[in-house]
Amino acid sequence: MKIIGVIWIILGSTGMGVWFRSAYLQKLSILENCEKALLVLRGEIEYGRTMLPEAFLQASKSCSGKVSLFFERMSCYTREGKMSLTKVWQKACDETFAPDELGRTTEQEWRAIGDVLSMPEWEQQIQMLALCQKRLAYDREQWQKKKDQKTRLYPGFGAITGCMLCIFLF
């Protein structure tokens, strides 16, 4: 019976390590999609002079997952026109992303884009979007540098923790 317990503890802790690894990879994927979507959004505003609801729709088509869902919501909410763009951006952030899903600094940058898009001059929007895009790229690079280390570390650390727990319990 003890052997079965030990096996379950090790499998469970290894499973938690794999879960942390997948959460890390998901954050990295979200950052990459955010970067793609901002590039498309900036291009639609700067070169296409596209209205924001259509620009949001194009951005949603360029990416996948939660970021695509975010921009689809933004397109719908801005077509309704019931709230200011800043409030719509915040609402879409709250509905789409779980707390700390983007990471603290990235989430602050992402939420600030709503204020950027509320600026009256499109030149200011473009300049600020470019700055936000650079910051997101920097955040993504930092996550990318740690990717190999953390994706190997989490499952191994989970298994070792399970073994240590078994030693202490038995």
Side-chain angles (χ1 to χ4, degrees), residues 106-148:
T106 306
E107 185 174 352
Q108 289 171 350
E109 283 297 320
W110 192 251
R111 288 183 178 274
I113 295 172
D115 296 329
V116 167
L117 292 174
S118 297
M119 293 178 174
E121 298 292 324
W122 68 269
E123 291 93 358
Q124 289 176 317
Q125 290 176 348
I126 298 303
Q127 289 173 350
M128 294 305 290
L129 278 175
L131 180 62
C132 291
Q133 195 175 2
K134 286 178 185 176
R135 289 179 181 160
L136 280 174
Y138 177 78
D139 287 348
R140 183 193 48 78
E141 287 171 8
Q142 296 305 311
W143 281 81
Q144 190 72 39
K145 285 179 184 176
K146 297 177 185 176
K147 175 187 170 190
D148 290 337

Side-chain angles (χ1 to χ4, degrees), residues 1-102:
M1 202 62 173
K2 282 185 178 184
I3 301 287
I4 293 173
V6 166
I7 291 171
W8 279 112
I9 289 172
I10 293 172
L11 285 176
S13 60
T14 304
M16 284 187 65
V18 170
W19 181 77
F20 279 118
R21 176 182 181 246
S22 68
Y24 188 89
L25 292 174
Q26 183 181 5
K27 279 186 182 183
L28 187 58
S29 173
I30 287 173
L31 283 173
E32 289 170 350
N33 280 310
C34 286
E35 199 174 352
K36 279 185 211 173
L38 274 186
L39 181 65
V40 170
L41 184 63
R42 191 172 127 208
E44 288 292 325
I45 293 171
E46 186 173 10
Y47 301 113
R49 310 275 183 192
T50 309
M51 299 297 290
L52 283 177
E54 288 79 23
F56 291 144
L57 194 58
Q58 290 302 317
S60 76
K61 292 177 183 176
S62 72
C63 54
S64 61
K66 288 190 171 190
V67 179
S68 177
L69 177 63
F70 172 82
F71 280 107
E72 286 174 12
R73 286 180 175 165
M74 284 300 300
S75 180
C76 290
Y77 293 155
T78 52
R79 287 180 199 275
E80 290 173 5
K82 295 180 181 178
M83 293 185 280
S84 70
L85 189 60
T86 303
K87 289 181 181 177
V88 167
W89 190 273
Q90 300 302 323
K91 180 181 177 184
C93 280
D94 292 339
E95 290 177 356
T96 307
F97 302 112
D100 204 38
E101 187 171 11
L102 295 173

Side-chain angles (χ1 to χ4, degrees), residues 13-14 17 20 152-164:
S13 60
T14 304
F20 279 118
R152 287 188 205 133
L153 177 73
Y154 287 142
F157 187 68
I160 290 170
T161 303
C163 291
M164 293 301 291

